[in-house]
């Protein structure tokens, strides 16, 4: 890896920050814990209310708001070159009614950025990581409404003006293509009664792509040297059989995922996406197309956890791969394939912004021996190295998910842990919030110090 390679990790405001009383609510704040119920209210505005018997873990996160200095000192101890975090829009504009941003909110991220720079850690900002303010949903219905693009623009202009003298890497959205499945969480949109979900999704996609272009424009207007990216959930799609039917399914699924990157990186709406937009009656304005063409991404920011499988038989389980305790396929080579697919398609530098193993950890005599996590990361980093060294892909950094344990997105669980740093907090919010170093903490420190040269797990812990 070259001297400037960005080794590090990621976190997000809605999963770690807490500080609930000093900000407005976000969309994840009203998502209760539990796989079964987490998403159940989301298409039913009538159920939008607080349910006192449910637990809403994002409201507290792991109180990064209180602990950020201690946490950043631990990241520095591991030798991070970069940390990706999200600014909470609801901390900057808590109600959506205010003319001016909250100075207290702005100051918090000033503090975080300055603390990172103190340790020479490059800050990477995501403007929305599934943590849009709730008022954007209640007032505008999220990105379904074109006005949200202007509201977003005002927010981005505010934070770019404030932070871009110190922050060189900006990511508009977390996993924009996950909106295909999680319209509320990613789009901030509830499907209006009587409307077709796919048509609503396509309108959200169109507006969100305009919003992404506006972030790119604002960043480049501030300083053309700023690098603008967007996160795409990366997952190669395999077929169960070599049948034409299965291959056609793969082609269709790939397009659902690539349609966002195709516009953001190439500045052009591809024919297959245009056809869908037109069929759904979405107005494609010539001035929008010109704007999308002028404001394309500088880098691609994939997450990578697993591969996907399609089959005309309906199965989604790949017989060649093992799964995590949470049913996610484990496919290190899929990382290399994803990097190849994205680079071949877009020919832009790639900053990997998420990769990690979410599973249960146990504390024994105060220690967390997470050899399984080390093994997972080791295998994936080895594939990143092959992609760089053997395939010639321009990977500029590798950020894991997550720097420390945070609330999981899919289930809202604390016990599904990803971090190098253990946080003493259980699924019902009991615990001291104390931080401790897992075995993987020392392993990753060694990986970074050797610039990825030494992946062996010979750590004494
Ligand atoms: C990514 C998200 O999809 O996956 C993160 O950007 C999330 O927010 C991560 O935490 C892991 O998923 P989960 O559901 O296990 O937390």
């Amino acid at each position: 890896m070259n001297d400037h390679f960005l080794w590090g990790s990621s976190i997000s405001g809605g999963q770690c920050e807490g500080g609930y009383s000093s900000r407005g609510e976000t969309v994840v704040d009203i998502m209760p814990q539990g796989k079964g119920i987490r998403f159940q209210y989301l298409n039913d505005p009538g159920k939008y209310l607080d349910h006192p018997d449910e637990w809403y873990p994002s409201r507290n996160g792991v109180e990064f708001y209180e602990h950020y200095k201690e946490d950043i000192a631990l990241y520095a101890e591991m030798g991070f070159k970069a940390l990706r975090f999200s600014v909470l829009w609801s901390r900057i504009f808590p109600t959506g009614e205010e003319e001016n941003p909250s100075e207290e909110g702005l100051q918090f991220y000033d503090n975080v950025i300055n603390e990172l720079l103190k340790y020479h850690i490059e800050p990477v900002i995501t403007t929305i990581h599934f943590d849009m303010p709730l008022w954007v949903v209640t007032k505008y219905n999220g990105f379904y409404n074109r006005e949200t693009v202007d509201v977003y623009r005002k927010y981005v202009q505010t934070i770019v003006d404030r932070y871009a003298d110190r922050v060189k890497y900006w990511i508009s959205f977390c996993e924009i293509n996950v909106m295909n499945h999680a319209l509320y969480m990613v789009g901030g949109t509830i499907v209006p009664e009587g409307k077709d979900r796919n048509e609503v999704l396509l309108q959200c996609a169109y507006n969100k792509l305009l919003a992404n272009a506006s972030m790119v424009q604002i960043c480049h207007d501030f300083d053309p040297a700023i690098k603008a990216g967007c996160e795409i959930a990366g997952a190669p799609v395999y077929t169960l059989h070599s049948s034409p039917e299965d291959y056609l399914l793969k082609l269709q699924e790939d397009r659902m995922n690539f349609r966002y990157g195709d516009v953001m990186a190439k500045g052009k709406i591809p024919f297959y996406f245009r056809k869908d937009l037109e069929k759904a009656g979405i107005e494609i304005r010539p001035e929008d197309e010109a704007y999308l063409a002028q404001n394309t991404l500088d880098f691609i920011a994939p997450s990578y956890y697993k591969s996907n499988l399609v089959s005309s038989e309906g199965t989604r389980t790949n017989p060649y791969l093992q799964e995590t305790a949470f049913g996610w396929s484990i496919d290190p080579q899929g990382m290399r394939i994803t990097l190849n697919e994205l680079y071949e398609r877009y020919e832009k530098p790639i900053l990997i912004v998420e990769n990690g193993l979410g599973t249960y950890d146990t504390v024994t005599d105060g220690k967390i021996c997470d050899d399984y996590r080390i093994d997972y990361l080791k295998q994936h980093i080895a594939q990143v190295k092959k992609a760089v060294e053997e395939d010639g892909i321009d990977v500029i950094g590798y950020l894991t998910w997550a720097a420390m344990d945070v609330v999981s997105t899919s289930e809202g669980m604390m016990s599904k842990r990803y971090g190098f740093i253990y946080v003493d907090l259980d699924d019902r919010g009991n615990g001291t919030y104390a931080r401790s170093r897992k075995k993987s903490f020392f392993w990753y420190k060694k990986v970074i110090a050797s610039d990825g040269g030494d992946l062996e797990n010979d750590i004494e812990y």
Side-chain angles (χ1 to χ4, degrees):
M1 307 295 180
N2 69 41
D3 290 351
H4 307 291
F5 194 80
L6 296 172
W7 291 102
S9 195
S10 292
I11 51 175
S12 81
Q15 292 171 269
C16 78
E17 208 172 280
Y20 185 56
S21 58
S22 54
R23 60 173 171 83
E25 282 196 302
T26 71
V27 298
V28 282
D29 286 328
I30 63 151
M31 289 171 63
Q33 183 181 70
K35 200 167 177 59
I37 61 168
R38 189 144 168 87
F39 294 90
Q40 80 182 11
Y41 305 125
L42 305 182
N43 279 326
D44 185 347
K47 290 190 181 154
Y48 219 157
L49 305 164
D50 211 347
H51 293 252
D53 47 332
E54 302 292 359
W55 173 244
Y56 297 90
S58 287
R59 296 179 184 179
N60 299 323
V62 293
E63 286 294 357
F64 177 72
Y65 190 68
E66 302 288 331
H67 291 257
Y68 75 93
K69 283 193 179 175
E70 175 191 352
D71 292 337
I72 292 171
L74 287 165
Y75 307 157
E77 191 182 323
M78 270 187 278
F80 281 16
K81 307 277 189 257
L83 178 81
R84 167 177 170 238
F85 64 96
S86 65
V87 169
L88 283 185
W89 180 354
S90 69
R91 198 175 282 293
I92 309 299
F93 291 100
T95 66
E97 300 296 329
E98 52 280 277
E99 202 36 51
N100 297 314
S102 152
E103 180 52 33
E104 189 189 341
L106 286 168
Q107 188 62 52
F108 172 65
Y109 299 106
D110 267 331
N111 296 346
V112 170
I113 292 164
N114 293 341
E115 198 68 15
L116 290 168
L117 293 176
K118 184 171 115 187
Y119 295 107
H120 308 290
I121 300 174
E122 189 84 50
V124 178
I125 284 184
T126 309
T127 71
I128 306 178
H129 189 128
F130 305 159
D131 44 24
M132 192 182 301
L134 197 52
W135 59 259
V136 180
V137 182
T138 51
K139 222 169 144 177
Y140 300 99
N141 204 10
F143 279 98
Y144 185 48
N145 188 337
R146 195 177 165 120
E147 275 182 73
T148 298
V149 180
D150 297 327
V151 185
Y152 172 76
R153 208 185 156 80
K154 177 177 174 187
Y155 156 61
V156 170
Q157 187 74 59
T158 305
I159 58 174
V160 167
D161 285 348
R162 180 78 170 218
Y163 307 129
D165 59 332
R166 286 155 290 158
V167 178
K168 300 295 167 226
Y169 291 90
W170 290 75
I171 291 172
S172 54
F173 308 121
C174 172
E175 296 183 331
I176 187 168
N177 49 332
V178 166
M179 192 162 68
N180 293 339
H181 312 291
L183 189 48
Y184 165 79
M185 195 173 69
V186 187
T189 296
I190 293 165
V191 179
E193 227 171 310
K195 292 276 181 193
D196 176 76
R197 185 191 183 277
N198 189 48
E199 289 180 8
V200 173
L201 169 64
L202 286 163
Q203 184 67 68
C204 287
Y206 185 81
N207 291 341
K208 215 159 173 181
L209 289 166
L210 289 176
N212 172 75
S214 77
M215 188 208 76
V216 176
Q217 188 220 333
I218 290 167
C219 286
H220 290 164
D221 281 355
F222 185 93
D223 178 355
I226 286 184
K227 304 294 180 204
C230 181
E231 184 181 6
I232 299 170
V237 177
Y238 305 142
T239 57
L240 182 61
H241 300 300
S242 52
S243 66
E245 287 78 13
D246 278 13
Y247 195 81
L248 192 61
L249 287 176
K250 169 195 159 47
L251 187 75
Q252 287 161 344
E253 181 135 332
D254 275 342
R255 285 179 174 171
M256 290 282 282
N257 285 311
F258 283 128
R259 61 188 180 188
Y260 301 94
D262 284 356
V263 176
M264 296 185 297
K266 296 179 171 176
K268 191 168 169 285
I269 300 172
F271 76 94
Y272 66 87
F273 188 24
R274 182 183 299 276
K275 188 208 72 200
D276 287 347
L277 291 168
E278 284 173 354
K279 209 166 139 201
I282 312 293
E283 187 194 359
I284 305 174
R285 300 183 192 166
E287 63 270 28
D288 291 346
E289 292 205 71
Y291 191 65
L292 294 170
Q294 280 153 12
N295 297 290
T296 54
L297 300 179
D298 299 307
F299 68 96
I300 309 297
S303 62
Y304 178 77
Y305 292 90
K306 59 186 172 78
S307 52
N308 286 332
L309 181 119
V310 288
S311 141
S312 41
E313 292 163 17
T315 180
R316 289 251 164 194
T317 306
N318 191 325
Y320 295 98
L321 301 174
Q322 295 200 319
E323 293 188 341
T324 69
F326 287 83
W328 293 26
S329 66
I330 302 176
D331 180 9
Q333 273 183 292
M335 165 71 94
R336 182 175 178 183
I337 295 168
T338 290
L339 295 174
N340 272 277
E341 284 180 342
L342 289 171
Y343 197 60
E344 187 171 307
R345 207 162 174 122
Y346 303 133
E347 294 185 329
K348 305 248 181 195
I350 295 180
L351 174 60
I352 299 162
V353 292
E354 292 184 38
N355 174 229
L357 174 68
T359 194
Y360 302 102
D361 286 332
T362 38
V363 186
T364 312
D365 299 330
K367 294 192 170 182
I368 305 99
C369 274
D370 55 343
D371 291 304
Y372 38 88
R373 182 166 295 108
I374 294 174
D375 194 45
Y376 177 100
L377 293 172
K378 176 178 156 181
Q379 290 186 47
H380 284 76
I381 294 174
Q383 294 295 326
V384 175
K385 285 168 70 174
K386 280 184 197 279
V388 173
E389 289 159 12
E390 294 179 29
D391 305 336
I393 295 175
D394 184 10
V395 180
I396 58 173
Y398 171 81
L399 310 179
T400 71
W401 186 265
M404 60 189 170
D405 295 340
V406 297
V407 172
S408 83
T409 291
S410 317
E411 303 86 1
M413 285 168 64
M414 263 316 292
S415 57
K416 185 186 192 185
R417 296 175 182 273
Y418 283 89
F420 301 110
I421 299 163
Y422 186 88
V423 179
D424 177 31
L425 197 63
D426 72 12
D427 280 338
R428 297 314 279 183
N430 304 306
T432 62
Y433 290 90
R435 275 65 168 152
S436 38
R437 299 165 183 80
K438 302 182 192 177
K439 186 176 179 186
S440 56
F441 179 102
F442 299 98
W443 172 81
Y444 196 44
K445 179 177 178 172
K446 194 175 64 124
V447 171
I448 297 175
S450 63
D451 201 15
D454 186 359
L455 298 178
E456 285 320 304
N457 179 12
D458 50 8
I459 300 295
E460 285 201 25
Y461 177 67

